[in-house]
């Protein structure tokens, strides 16, 4: 059983992923205390565009749920699971990118970097990840 994550939700209809004020509780890796767990949610009907790479501080674990649109562009989206989790796919793990009906676009030079035990990508409900 995973401990409850501290959540933050992307708020504007369209805006900068990297701007803390665009999230209900600040950027996803700043919500909980160090060595704790965070969850970022991009809801349906919103578009978050990364203006810079998003790399986590050491010791942070995060999962990202995309129901709207996430435009990574030429940046890096880094999600970490740490040593907590399972080596078999399990929805709700840390280091997870859950594209649930949403869309993720990764431009030229961009990347999605998942690492750690239990790090996974889930795509369902007509969600998509497009590399360009």
């Amino acid at each position: 059983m995973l401990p409850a994550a501290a959540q933050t939700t992307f708020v504007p209809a369209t805006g900068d992923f990297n701007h803390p004020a665009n999230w209900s509780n600040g950027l996803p890796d700043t919500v909980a205390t160090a060595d704790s767990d965070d969850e970022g949610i991009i809801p349906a009907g919103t578009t978050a565009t990364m203006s810079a790479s998003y790399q986590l501080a050491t010791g942070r674990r995060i999962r990202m749920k995309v129901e709207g649109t996430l435009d990574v562009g030429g940046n890096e989206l880094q999600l970490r699971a740490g040593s907590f989790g399972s080596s078999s796919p399990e929805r709700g793990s840390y280091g997870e990118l859950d594209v649930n009906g949403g869309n993720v676009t990764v431009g030229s030079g961009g990347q999605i970097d998942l690492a750690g035990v239990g790090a996974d990508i889930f795509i369902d409900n007509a969600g998509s990840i497009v590399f360009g």
Side-chain angles (χ1 to χ4, degrees):
M1 180 81 175
L2 297 172
Q7 292 184 344
T8 187
T9 301
F10 193 75
V11 177
T14 303
D16 185 354
F17 176 100
N18 302 79
H19 187 54
N22 285 341
W23 295 88
S24 62
N25 289 313
L27 288 170
D29 70 332
T30 62
V31 179
T33 58
D35 295 320
S36 193
D37 309 303
D38 297 305
E39 179 176 49
I41 301 168
I42 299 173
T46 64
T47 299
T49 302
M50 292 176 61
S51 62
S53 291
Y54 182 73
Q55 298 171 327
L56 302 178
T58 302
R60 303 310 296 252
R61 296 184 303 246
I62 190 169
R63 58 184 172 230
M64 184 70 60
K65 185 172 187 178
V66 181
E67 298 168 338
T69 299
L70 173 59
D71 183 1
V72 176
N75 300 298
E76 175 185 3
L77 173 63
Q78 182 188 84
L79 303 175
R80 294 289 183 254
S83 59
F84 189 87
S86 167
S87 60
S88 58
E90 173 186 352
R91 178 166 265 128
S93 294
Y94 302 108
E96 173 183 292
L97 177 60
D98 182 3
V99 185
N100 189 353
N103 300 291
V104 177
T105 57
V106 182
S108 178
Q111 60 184 328
I112 297 173
D113 178 7
L114 303 176
V117 176
D120 293 299
I121 295 177
F122 293 96
I123 305 170
D124 55 8
N125 294 322
S128 68
I129 298 179
V130 177
F131 293 87

